[in-house]
Amino acid sequence: MTADDKLEIREYLHERLRFLESRNVSIDAPSCPDENEYASLVSEMHFNVVMRERESRQLREVREALHRLQEPSFGFCEECGEHIGLARLKANPQALYCITCQEQTEQAA
């Protein structure tokens, strides 16, 4: 991986970080006199909670990837130690595993 590749990945991660930090998903529950409207609001709130949890996880993963990017071990699979493909890292800089180990992990789950 070249310095330019790392710079491209770093810029992507910083852009993703700014986007995720700017998101403001509301989970407030306004009062509602109608039962049907209340059910819709509860459903929407549940969706917003799930989205907030997902975005929190993504924020953590992006921050961890930015930290790992500074380490010499960035781009190596945490399972087998082989290189993670550059195309995979550019598509998903948070990747911890090479394709083979990722597939094995998913099959075991």
Side-chain angles (χ1 to χ4, degrees):
M1 177 179 319
T2 67
D4 287 341
D5 293 331
K6 282 191 172 185
L7 179 61
E8 181 182 343
I9 290 170
R10 182 177 293 110
E11 288 173 353
Y12 169 80
L13 287 168
H14 279 295
E15 180 181 319
R16 185 75 181 141
L17 187 64
R18 281 190 299 275
F19 171 77
L20 290 169
E21 287 176 339
S22 72
R23 299 274 297 149
N24 184 17
V25 178
S26 174
I27 57 172
D28 294 333
S31 131
C32 186
D34 182 277
E35 288 181 17
N36 290 329
E37 189 175 339
Y38 179 74
S40 294
L41 286 173
V42 168
S43 177
E44 183 179 336
M45 285 174 44
H46 174 70
F47 176 77
N48 287 341
V49 166
V50 169
M51 289 300 295
R52 181 172 278 185
E53 288 173 353
R54 178 176 178 253
E55 289 176 353
S56 292
R57 179 181 41 81
Q58 289 176 347
L59 264 171
R60 179 179 37 82
E61 290 173 356
V62 168
R63 288 179 179 137
E64 289 172 357
L66 279 167
H67 178 72
R68 281 193 319 274
L69 189 60
Q70 298 171 9
E71 303 295 322
S73 61
F74 180 79
F76 290 91
C77 177
E78 290 190 359
E79 184 66 28
C80 69
E82 295 294 319
H83 283 280
I84 298 172
L86 183 58
R88 176 168 168 75
L89 285 173
K90 285 185 175 183
N92 180 14
Q94 301 95 306
L96 299 173
Y97 306 110
C98 66
I99 291 288
T100 304
C101 291
Q102 182 68 46
E103 288 174 350
Q104 291 172 355
T105 301
E106 289 174 1
Q107 288 174 357

